[in-house]
Amino acid sequence: MKDLLIRTATRTGLINAAQLAQYLDENAGRGRVDEVLLSCPYFTEDKVLKLFAEALGWEYLPEISGSLVPPEFIESVPATYAQHHYLIGLKGEASNGELTVVLSRPLDANALDNVAKMTGMAVKPAVATRAAITAVIDTAYEQRNTVIDEVVEELDSQNLDQLVDEVSASDDLLDVVNRPPVIRLVNDILFRALQLRASDIHVHPYETKIQIRYRIDGILYDVLSLNRNTLPLVISRIKVMAGMDIAERRMPQDGRCSVRLGQREVDLRVSTVPTSYGERSVLRVLDKSQGVFALDELGLWEDDLKRLDSLLVRSHGVIFVTGPTGSGKSTTLYACLNRINSAEKNVITIEDPIEYQLEGISQIQVASKKGMTFATSLRHVLRQDPDVIMVGEVRDVETARMAIQSSLTGHLVFSTLHTNDSAGAISRLLDLGVEPYLASSSLIAIMAQRLVRRVCPDCKEPSQPTSQELGELGLGALEDSRDAEFFVGQGCERCFNTGYRGRTGIYELMLINEPIQDCIYKQQTAGQIKRLALDSGMQTLRMDGARKVLAGITTVSEVLRVTQADVM
């Protein structure tokens, strides 16, 4: 093999033949030739694999499509085996049922033979890089037909009490071979949720069935109905995964865990509560592979982005992000912290719970049962010489006062409030008991936000809204709207037939200038503060939504769904 590779290198010039010969002589006897060469620091993986392909007369595949992987391969070869040996099967060109097995280790004859035995098909080797093979393994095994129906039948045919003992934590959702039926069922529910980009999974028991529901882009959909008898088993499996007590069925419980889907790491936050028809469970899905959004990926309009950027370089002050639960407040705060995170600044967060790990930032988990509340944590954080502090949520006057006092002593503080709009946040602070002079002197900005669904790019078509809808959105009299083209999604497979895919934010950024400070000090109404902010150039949530409708990003009905009419 060594001589063949050197001759091929000399003939093709793919890699330096003299260097190859020297490296092979120096490492003779260290192992199989392909493994030795693939660990060589002088040659890249793709060059080595191209050399083997040329020498052996095999095909080298720079990219592989998941649609070429036949179902026979997925059903016969476990995902873990394919991942461990870095191989994948593709449909052969011949009509005699031949399978092309793509390897990242060209001389792994044992793996090739094993695939032939597992599938019962004739195999033909080819080569590709580890990255190309890993990507297609994840895609191919994700696209396999779900096995929920047959698993439920299998569960029904067995004694459910005996199967409770078989429940144990699994590593990879794709690894379902030889698993007990309940593990395969729960894995498949999780797996389908990730395929559909669901943020929450609801296991809802009724009198005669269990309804599995997914929250996709903020809307709940009924996806699956299961036999009522499987409820104790499914809930027990979820509890085991989240490290909860499976014997406790009468009290609410919380837990969390991580699962893998191929190369993707996914965090699950689990909550169970007892209901009249049995325990109900909700799983919040946090896909770590997506990472933290950058500030310019959130959907901020260019003028708002510039204003927000100018605030992030301030040395002190309080910035509040407001909105209902699930409106993306934490995502916005993480994006802001990521933007200002640098070696020169000491950034500390106090969260409940910590949703994403941010590199270079100290994150503290609130533990109310142990007396570690937002207020007590903030008191200790101030002794840690911070430059920037993020407080997950202001829930009481003590936390509000501490956050404001922190900003007055030279810290930039970020936090969230649950209010409908930016001006309402000031009324909320004063209602909590914060003194007007403190609020007026410390606040530098308040940003209200909502999430709207994006029109699906694959099935969007022009559509003219009614004049009433345009009037409600404030576009009826605008010149821009007369020539604008509006779009709606017709519904396709890629968007779950909803016409929408993905979400973006709409924002209302209110900068606290001197006239507004004066209003706060005099305890004037939210309506008066809002009028002053509009005079200073603020765009309300509905106005920002209208801009995004005119840009073809979302629809009129979607903006009307998540925003209220602008009343002063």
Side-chain angles (χ1 to χ4, degrees):
M1 191 73 219
K2 171 187 163 185
D3 293 338
L4 176 61
L5 289 172
I6 293 168
R7 285 200 303 274
T8 307
T10 307
R11 175 170 56 83
T12 60
L14 278 167
I15 57 180
N16 186 303
Q19 203 173 19
L20 172 67
Q22 183 184 348
Y23 185 78
L24 288 173
D25 286 339
E26 289 171 358
N27 292 275
R30 268 191 57 211
R32 224 171 50 210
V33 177
D34 58 343
E35 291 177 340
V36 168
L37 273 184
L38 285 166
S39 63
C40 173
Y42 313 134
F43 315 124
T44 60
E45 183 189 16
D46 62 324
K47 288 282 173 66
V48 170
L49 292 173
K50 282 176 184 173
L51 182 72
F52 272 101
E54 193 71 35
L56 298 167
W58 296 352
E59 189 180 2
Y60 172 79
L61 302 170
E63 289 181 355
I64 310 169
S65 168
S67 60
L68 295 175
V69 182
E72 298 89 342
F73 180 86
I74 294 165
E75 287 161 11
S76 308
V77 181
T80 45
Y81 189 85
Q83 287 165 344
H84 180 71
H85 291 277
Y86 293 99
L87 57 82
I88 193 73
L90 306 179
K91 295 169 188 168
E93 291 178 14
S95 57
N96 59 359
E98 187 179 59
L99 183 74
T100 300
V101 178
V102 188
L103 304 158
S104 68
R105 299 168 187 149
L107 303 182
D108 195 351
N110 286 339
L112 208 58
D113 291 343
N114 287 338
V115 172
K117 287 173 189 169
M118 287 181 205
T119 58
M121 300 167 76
V123 297
K124 182 182 87 171
V127 289
T129 61
R130 279 185 175 200
I133 291 171
T134 301
V136 83
I137 287 172
D138 289 355
T139 307
Y141 280 87
E142 281 186 23
Q143 288 174 349
R144 78 196 194 288
N145 291 327
T146 54
V147 293
I148 285 180
D149 295 335
E150 60 189 71
V151 170
V152 171
E153 284 175 25
E154 205 175 325
L155 276 172
D156 289 344
S157 67
Q158 297 189 35
N159 186 323
L160 297 181
D161 295 331
Q162 291 174 356
L163 283 172
V164 174
D165 297 332
E166 296 181 18
V167 174
S168 62
S170 75
D171 296 322
D172 194 334
L173 298 184
L174 298 177
D175 180 18
V176 294
V177 178
N178 299 324
R179 290 281 186 185
V182 65
I183 292 184
R184 285 159 48 205
L185 173 63
V186 174
N187 280 10
D188 222 272
I189 290 169
L190 291 170
F191 166 80
R192 191 185 279 198
L194 290 166
Q195 274 187 315
L196 295 172
R197 302 173 293 99
S199 60
D200 299 86
I201 305 165
H202 292 233
V203 181
H204 194 160
Y206 290 94
E207 189 176 5
T208 58
K209 64 177 180 178
I210 308 168
Q211 191 68 51
I212 306 295
R213 311 170 85 194
Y214 294 158
R215 189 176 293 281
I216 303 166
D217 293 335
I219 307 293
L220 266 176
Y221 297 96
D222 289 344
V223 177
L224 185 68
S225 289
L226 299 178
N227 190 310
R228 178 78 178 75
N229 297 335
T230 61
L231 179 66
L233 204 57
V234 170
I235 296 294
S236 292
R237 170 63 188 155
I238 290 168
K239 284 182 175 179
V240 168
M241 289 175 72
M244 294 150 73
D245 181 0
I246 62 169
E248 179 55 77
R249 296 191 177 117
R250 297 183 183 181
M251 294 291 289
Q253 291 190 66
D254 294 313
R256 63 188 305 162
C257 64
S258 288
V259 294
R260 275 192 306 111
L261 181 70
Q263 301 300 308
R264 285 161 69 187
E265 191 80 23
V266 179
D267 265 357
L268 300 174
R269 290 215 310 268
V270 183
S271 168
T272 62
V273 294
T275 71
S276 54
Y277 293 120
E279 283 186 286
R280 177 196 169 118
S281 183
V282 175
L283 295 84
R284 167 62 59 89
V285 181
L286 295 166
D287 190 348
K288 284 183 175 179
S289 65
Q290 290 184 345
V292 178
F293 284 96
L295 205 55
D296 51 10
E297 294 174 333
L298 299 180
L300 280 157
W301 214 255
E302 201 171 331
D303 53 350
D304 283 339
L305 185 59
K306 283 178 184 171
R307 285 182 194 145
L308 188 55
D309 250 340
S310 69
L311 297 172
L312 299 182
V313 296
R314 297 270 193 102
S315 61
H316 61 277
V318 182
I319 299 173
F320 277 113
V321 180
T322 81
T325 303
S327 59
K329 300 187 297 294
S330 298
T331 302
T332 300
L333 288 178
Y334 278 130
C336 290
L337 293 180
N338 231 19
R339 186 82 148 206
I340 58 178
N341 184 15
S342 66
E344 294 85 37
K345 293 198 174 172
N346 179 19
V347 183
I348 301 178
T349 73
I350 305 163
E351 303 174 59
D352 183 23
I354 296 169
E355 293 190 13
Y356 288 101
Q357 297 292 340
L358 294 173
E359 198 175 335
I361 289 177
S362 300
Q363 295 172 270
I364 297 168
Q365 168 76 54
V366 167
S368 301
K369 289 178 184 175
K370 297 176 182 175
M372 189 80 164
T373 63
F374 279 115
T376 54
S377 301
L378 188 50
R379 196 171 289 115
H380 292 291
V381 160
L382 289 171
R383 297 174 194 147
Q384 294 285 317
D385 185 31
D387 296 295
V388 180
I389 304 168
M390 191 264 267
V391 182
E393 188 184 336
V394 167
R395 298 174 181 167
D396 52 53
V397 66
E398 190 184 3
T399 311
R401 280 188 182 138
M402 286 287 295
I404 286 170
Q405 293 285 4
S406 305
S407 75
L408 295 174
T409 53
H411 306 93
L412 185 61
V413 181
F414 294 89
S415 191
T416 67
L417 273 172
H418 291 285
T419 61
N420 287 326
D421 61 4
S422 51
I426 295 166
S427 301
R428 173 91 176 112
L429 282 175
L430 299 180
D431 288 345
L432 277 174
V434 175
E435 291 78 2
Y437 72 90
L438 282 178
S440 65
S441 56
S442 61
L443 288 172
I444 56 174
I446 299 170
M447 185 161 77
Q449 67 176 78
R450 298 288 187 278
L451 292 176
V452 291
R453 293 179 291 172
R454 288 173 168 271
V455 178
C456 175
D458 293 319
C459 63
K460 73 174 183 178
E461 289 182 4
S463 173
Q464 186 60 37
T466 65
S467 55
Q468 183 185 348
E469 286 180 320
L470 290 174
E472 279 188 65
L473 198 56
L475 290 174
L478 287 182
E479 290 288 332
D480 294 348
S481 64
R482 288 174 193 167
D483 302 322
E485 195 169 11
F486 300 89
F487 293 95
V488 295
Q490 297 304 304
C492 63
E493 281 186 14
R494 297 204 65 190
C495 65
F496 198 44
N497 291 316
T498 60
Y500 297 99
R501 194 161 93 239
R503 288 188 288 178
T504 190
I506 56 173
Y507 301 91
E508 178 180 296
L509 180 60
M510 182 170 78
L511 303 182
I512 309 297
N513 54 24
E514 278 189 38
I516 293 175
Q517 280 182 332
D518 196 41
C519 262
I520 297 170
Y521 187 73
K522 291 175 180 174
Q523 300 187 50
Q524 292 183 345
T525 65
Q528 289 170 307
I529 293 170
K530 193 167 189 174
R531 272 195 291 275
L532 273 176
L534 285 168
D535 292 342
S536 304
M538 180 185 84
Q539 295 279 310
T540 65
L541 286 166
R542 191 159 274 195
M543 289 175 185
D544 193 42
R547 290 195 289 194
K548 290 183 169 70
V549 169
L550 291 172
I553 295 168
T554 188
T555 63
V556 174
S557 59
E558 186 64 9
V559 175
L560 294 176
R561 180 179 71 84
V562 301
T563 62
Q564 297 177 336
D566 293 323
V567 179
M568 257 34 92

